[in-house]
Amino acid sequence: MKFKSIVDGGGESTRVTNELLKRLSIQHPIIQGPMGGGPSTPELVAAVSNVGGLGSLGAAYLTPDQIIESIQRIRSLTEKPFQVNLFTGGWDVIAHVDPAPMLELLAEIHQTLGLPAPVPPLPKPDPFPEQFEAVLDARPPIFSFTFGIPNVDAMARLKKRGIVILGTATTVQEGRLLAETGVDAVVAQGAESGAHRGTFAGPFESSMVPTLELVRGIIASVDVPVIATGGLMDGRDVAASLAAGASACALGTAFLVCPESGAPDAHKQAILAAAKDTTVMTRAFSGRPARGLPNAFIQQLAHRENAILPYPLQNALTRAMRTAAAQQGNPEFLSLWAGQGVARSRAMPAGELVIRLVAEM
């Protein structure tokens, strides 16, 4: 990977450029990680893109109409490039677990939160096909995905529209599979990463590779650029990732506490209150392994893994609980997603954070 350092006249800042940054048409190797479920608002996306980074819309839980509306809103706030991210794969609507134990546990929590008793979630079709059509119609400059790989036809349609394609890998094997399908870059999601694991080509346990180790391994195995993500919080982390061969870095937790973020206040406060890394891996909220801060709900399910339904049924079943907890400011029943660098979070506007990260590099 060829890098070029450009030092400005004052000698106080250095800008790193490479072929991927040119392909993405961004100035800095800073990507705001796509965060589905509300945090990555159009305002957050635009704020990052407007200062030379790459803003990202986590659209996995949006309807097709919401995707189009969000993209229109982003375009009203910035003329710079941005990306849209979807979940492609991992959809299991056949419950192999009796829902009764989970319903019983949730019934007590619902009562505490003033909610009606929970009911078994009904299987729903995978939303990706319709979401994908909305993305194609809206033609964002960049499209990224996780949990799997779109089929050959989908990849061809993206390329025909000139959309840059980024895919998530949690192992070297997944990185190779992505490169073979024609992605423009591989996002290497290290074990330190907050929220859901993107693992799709093997057991979750085999995917817990430290970020820099994963970056080096994928770079040695593919001929496309690699983006580092997982536990990156400041400019020193970015510099270390670039030194390991990454072309850019995606940061999620670092942007969660920005005022433009749509994360619930209780989530932001929990992140800012973290004095050290206490994050854990859990399937409690969605049925899929994800990293976040521990709370009462995770603790209640710590020894009841067999009661957890597969994704997305568990995710659907806990949605009412999570929504009510957010509205009531109760962090004990929220999915407090966060990466291992959580204790170094800083609350500041997203644009200022990008500028700070570049200065720290």
Side-chain angles (χ1 to χ4, degrees), residues 252-300:
T253 306
F255 286 99
L256 262 176
V257 294
C258 292
E260 300 93 340
S261 162
D265 286 342
H267 190 173
K268 293 181 179 181
Q269 291 167 10
I271 288 175
L272 292 172
K276 61 180 180 179
D277 171 34
T278 59
T279 59
V280 296
M281 296 300 303
T282 182
R283 293 174 50 244
F285 289 98
S286 71
R288 188 179 179 94
R291 183 181 295 281
L293 294 168
N295 59 11
F297 188 65
I298 292 175
Q299 291 167 0
Q300 287 183 37

Side-chain angles (χ1 to χ4, degrees), residues 4 13 33 51 129 157 168 183 199-200 208 232 248 267 271-272 350:
K4 182 180 181 183
S13 64
V51 293
R157 295 173 71 193
T168 304
V183 298
T199 306
F200 64 89
M208 299 300 285
L232 311 180
H267 190 173
I271 288 175
L272 292 172

